[in-house]
Amino acid sequence: MTERAADKRWIVGVDLGGTNIVVGLLPMEGGEVLGLHSLPTEPGRGAKFVVDRICQMVERSIAEVLEAQGGTRDDVAGVGIGSPGPLDRATGTVINTPNLGWRNFPLRDLISNALHLPATLDNDANCAGYGEWWLGAGRGTRSLVGLTLGTGIGGGIVLNGEIYHGCSDAAGEIGHMTIEANGRRCKCGNYGCLEQYASGPAIAQRAVEGIEAGAESLLTDLVHGRLEDITAATVYEATVQGDPYANEVMKDTAKFLGAGVASIINILNPQMVVIAGGVTRAGEHLFEPLRAEVRRRAFKSAQECCRIVSAELPGTAGVVGAAAVFKRETYGHV
Amino acid sequence: MTERAADKRWIVGVDLGGTNIVVGLLPMEGGEVLGLHSLPTEPGRGAKFVVDRICQMVERSIAEVLEAQGGTRDDVAGVGIGSPGPLDRATGTVINTPNLGWRNFPLRDLISNALHLPATLDNDANCAGYGEWWLGAGRGTRSLVGLTLGTGIGGGIVLNGEIYHGCSDAAGEIGHMTIEANGRRCKCGNYGCLEQYASGPAIAQRAVEGIEAGAESLLTDLVHGRLEDITAATVYEATVQGDPYANEVMKDTAKFLGAGVASIINILNPQMVVIAGGVTRAGEHLFEPLRAEVRRRAFKSAQECCRIVSAELPGTAGVVGAAAVFKRETYGHV
């Protein structure tokens, strides 16, 4: 890869998820996301619909930003796309995404051709981690591991300022690290994956199981007795309202997450672990017991150089990181 | 790091362990280890004794090799040292090794000054992995993870042809990845570490526990009823002799190990996992169920590009890898 000057003014970032598409423009040198838009993905309407929607959103964002800031379309360098994987980055192909129902889908080139702009493709969780590294919590670090606690647990590894992809673009699946060898069955086929204990649905499920077993909690009132309506957000809400049971659930979450984070620290010895996702709104109710659990578990020499922090770009890390990938692949630096 | 020609003919490799010191010479371009010697470490006799013994062994190996191959001491480029950690590579200091009883011990410079040769220091498990990468099972790969199943489980990560050290030289502690969040307490302070299930002593302990609980096994005869004499080697021996119970213990080992290896594959997506240590003499009795467990657990796209193989340099990987580290740090390439 050659290092050359990044001579254009803007990069488009696209964060494609199973639920929403988020699009925005980043100044080449970094800064605020401009022309930020989000729309539902509606994957059920077909791949062509999704690609068309992405392209329309990109055109609208570009038009808005150029209108407000001046300049022409020539000032836009290209488009970085983050998508659920597994992917083949070399060909820009989505190999298989259950959430979107795609198989061997040439997403990058379809978007690039439709927009007449160069494009890059990387994994959504990688992009989220890279976004936090470029302009978020990880600014100035050389290495970090990003974890996004959502429907699943996404992971992104940044080493020496680059996304670590592994030998078949499959690295970083930290949510599918086994923390209980004979534990809960995971959708991925494995048993006892971290995701089964600390993702949003897993937190909700553990909360419900305890209440069904007799625990008294404000959670029951918050969902008017409909336990199936309990989500990780409800648990967070009850925790900050002082509910002891919800706090216990949050502490258990921190313990499971702490086992996973400690393993990551023992294996990768990163400078930072950045945690994103709705449940981080619980703040120190989550981070204090999480850090305590990591202290209990990880090697001193590894944990002492690792900060465990909340993400700073909620909602835009994926867009920022996708743009950073484009910049890195096009100019050889970020 | 500058890339320059490796103009000397030989590099000394030193593999310092809690039990034995192994020393040998490697041809600069790689090849057979010559002048190979092993002596007990005898750490109880003090640090000066150990350093003197290492230096005497190095002098003897150099003399032997030069005598047999011709040439002068000028043909020896320097000494690569592998030592238990944690270490500070920049200063060449052993920060703390319980097995040797050392703290903040400037091992590299003591050896370098005594021998009047430049020296490098790296972690013993890193060296073992790097040795397999340079001249062993991993020849020609770009990335591998090495696991040595011994008294503990050592790990070494090689990415893009370089040892991955992390931000404080503490990376690669794969034996201390948690595979049972509430599992067996480990000496490191953590719970459920892989090492507590698949190291040599852990294999022996699981075997003994089953026999004490009533299992019938050839193992009991092999140790003449003294169950405390059962080791991983005894379990291996009984397995190859067809003992069904020992085979069960080996299969359980493969399952625990498989959970750990699958996590490593999901996180690092390496081209190869190299397993070393006495228990690998069980051959396919270990590797067949291990590979099956990994297939059951790891992502398809990651496991398909990863070979799980036995180490090819038993006894010398540490020496080879320590020499490779010296070459890499001195000339910028291996």
Side-chain angles (χ1 to χ4, degrees):
Chain A
M1 191 167 307
T2 53
E3 295 251 343
R4 58 192 176 90
D7 53 348
K8 306 275 184 169
R9 287 183 61 201
W10 305 101
I11 311 168
V12 182
V14 175
D15 182 9
L16 169 63
T19 310
N20 289 301
I21 302 163
V22 188
V23 170
L25 264 67
L26 268 291
M28 185 61 73
E29 69 281 7
E32 289 277 306
V33 183
L34 299 182
L36 187 69
H37 291 286
S38 176
L39 280 176
T41 309
E42 301 187 60
R45 296 174 73 170
K48 184 175 184 311
F49 172 86
V50 175
V51 171
D52 287 349
R53 173 160 282 183
I54 290 170
C55 292
Q56 285 156 14
M57 290 174 74
V58 171
E59 292 291 9
R60 181 161 63 136
S61 291
I62 291 175
E64 265 183 36
V65 171
L66 294 180
E67 165 98 22
Q69 306 278 326
T72 72
R73 199 182 166 89
D74 268 354
D75 294 323
V76 179
V79 186
I81 308 158
S83 161
L87 311 168
D88 181 330
R89 289 187 309 129
T91 61
T93 306
V94 177
I95 296 173
N96 177 21
T97 42
N99 286 343
L100 297 170
W102 295 352
R103 277 190 162 276
N104 298 317
F105 187 70
L107 179 64
R108 182 193 66 196
D109 290 352
L110 287 172
I111 290 177
S112 173
N113 292 338
L115 293 168
H116 304 289
L117 284 170
T120 59
L121 180 69
D122 210 318
N123 175 282
D124 52 358
N126 287 348
C127 289
Y130 208 39
E132 288 290 338
W133 172 80
W134 187 27
L135 300 176
R139 285 186 313 279
T141 65
R142 290 177 61 78
S143 63
L144 66 76
V145 174
L147 285 179
T148 305
L149 313 187
T151 311
I153 294 189
I157 300 172
V158 179
L159 303 181
N160 282 324
E162 290 186 59
I163 293 174
Y164 175 73
H165 290 101
C167 73
S168 63
D169 295 342
E173 289 290 357
I174 292 159
H176 300 281
M177 173 173 46
T178 290
I179 62 162
E180 292 276 10
N182 299 299
R184 293 174 192 248
R185 176 77 189 239
C186 183
K187 278 175 299 180
C188 77
N190 195 357
Y191 295 83
C193 290
L194 177 60
E195 177 166 307
Q196 289 302 307
Y197 299 86
S199 65
I203 294 167
Q205 191 185 340
R206 280 194 288 104
V208 170
E209 284 172 1
I211 293 171
E212 284 175 347
E216 299 211 353
S217 169
L218 178 62
L219 281 167
T220 313
D221 302 333
L222 287 176
V223 296
H224 310 291
R226 288 192 300 269
L227 298 187
E228 67 274 20
D229 288 352
I230 290 176
T231 65
T234 333
V235 176
Y236 142 73
E237 204 178 317
T239 301
V240 297
Q241 288 188 35
D243 180 53
Y245 173 73
N247 199 41
E248 278 307 304
V249 174
M250 197 58 82
K251 275 191 185 168
D252 285 345
T253 304
K255 278 186 179 280
F256 287 120
L257 196 56
V261 169
S263 290
I264 286 299
I265 289 174
N266 281 346
I267 296 168
L268 289 174
N269 187 19
Q271 282 180 276
M272 182 177 276
V273 172
V274 183
I275 317 252
V279 72
T280 59
R281 284 183 299 173
E284 288 306 302
H285 293 284
L286 175 69
F287 280 92
E288 190 276 329
L290 170 60
R291 292 191 190 105
E293 188 70 13
V294 170
R295 272 196 301 276
R296 202 167 76 103
R297 290 181 175 272
F299 275 84
K300 192 158 170 281
S301 54
Q303 65 177 264
E304 280 179 351
C305 79
C306 184
R307 290 169 55 210
I308 301 169
V309 301
S310 186
E312 289 183 8
L313 305 174
T316 60
V319 166
V320 171
V325 168
F326 179 87
K327 186 175 176 188
R328 167 92 211 168
E329 293 196 8
T330 306
Y331 302 101
H333 62 90
V334 179
Chain B
M1 191 167 307
T2 53
E3 295 251 343
R4 58 193 177 92
D7 52 348
K8 307 273 184 169
R9 288 181 62 200
W10 305 101
I11 311 168
V12 182
V14 174
D15 182 10
L16 169 62
T19 311
N20 290 300
I21 302 164
V22 188
V23 170
L25 264 67
L26 268 291
M28 185 60 74
E29 68 281 9
E32 289 277 305
V33 182
L34 299 181
L36 187 68
H37 290 287
S38 176
L39 280 176
T41 309
E42 301 186 61
R45 297 174 72 171
K48 183 175 184 312
F49 172 85
V50 174
V51 170
D52 287 348
R53 174 161 280 183
I54 290 170
C55 293
Q56 286 155 15
M57 291 175 73
V58 171
E59 292 291 9
R60 181 160 64 135
S61 291
I62 291 175
E64 265 183 36
V65 171
L66 294 180
E67 164 99 21
Q69 306 278 325
T72 71
R73 199 183 165 88
D74 269 354
D75 294 324
V76 180
V79 185
I81 308 159
S83 161
L87 311 168
D88 182 331
R89 288 188 309 128
T91 61
T93 306
V94 177
I95 296 172
N96 176 20
T97 43
N99 287 342
L100 297 171
W102 295 352
R103 277 190 162 276
N104 298 317
F105 186 70
L107 179 64
R108 182 193 68 195
D109 290 352
L110 287 173
I111 291 177
S112 174
N113 292 339
L115 293 168
H116 304 290
L117 284 169
T120 59
L121 180 69
D122 209 318
N123 177 281
D124 52 358
N126 287 348
C127 288
Y130 208 38
E132 289 291 338
W133 171 80
W134 187 27
L135 299 175
R139 286 187 312 280
T141 64
R142 291 177 61 79
S143 63
L144 65 76
V145 174
L147 284 179
T148 304
L149 313 186
T151 311
I153 294 188
I157 301 172
V158 179
L159 303 181
N160 284 323
E162 290 187 59
I163 294 173
Y164 175 74
H165 290 101
C167 74
S168 63
D169 294 343
E173 289 289 357
I174 292 158
H176 299 282
M177 173 172 48
T178 290
I179 63 162
E180 292 277 8
N182 298 298
R184 294 175 191 248
R185 175 78 190 240
C186 183
K187 278 175 299 181
C188 77
N190 195 357
Y191 294 83
C193 290
L194 176 60
E195 177 166 306
Q196 288 302 307
Y197 299 86
S199 65
I203 294 168
Q205 190 185 341
R206 279 192 290 103
V208 170
E209 285 171 1
I211 293 171
E212 285 175 347
E216 299 210 353
S217 169
L218 178 61
L219 282 167
T220 313
D221 303 331
L222 287 176
V223 296
H224 310 292
R226 288 193 299 271
L227 298 188
E228 65 274 21
D229 288 354
I230 290 176
T231 65
T234 333
V235 177
Y236 142 73
E237 204 178 314
T239 301
V240 295
Q241 287 187 35
D243 180 54
Y245 174 72
N247 199 40
E248 278 308 304
V249 174
M250 197 58 81
K251 274 192 186 167
D252 284 346
T253 304
K255 280 186 179 280
F256 287 120
L257 197 55
V261 170
S263 290
I264 285 298
I265 290 174
N266 281 347
I267 296 169
L268 288 174
N269 186 21
Q271 282 179 278
M272 182 177 277
V273 172
V274 184
I275 317 253
V279 73
T280 59
R281 285 183 298 172
E284 288 307 303
H285 294 284
L286 176 69
F287 280 93
E288 191 277 327
L290 170 60
R291 292 191 189 105
E293 188 70 12
V294 169
R295 272 195 302 275
R296 200 167 77 103
R297 289 181 177 272
F299 275 84
K300 192 158 170 282
S301 55
Q303 64 176 263
E304 280 179 352
C305 80
C306 184
R307 291 170 54 211
I308 300 169
V309 301
S310 186
E312 290 184 6
L313 305 174
T316 60
V319 167
V320 171
V325 168
F326 179 88
K327 187 175 176 187
R328 167 91 211 167
E329 293 196 9
T330 306
Y331 302 101
H333 62 90
V334 180

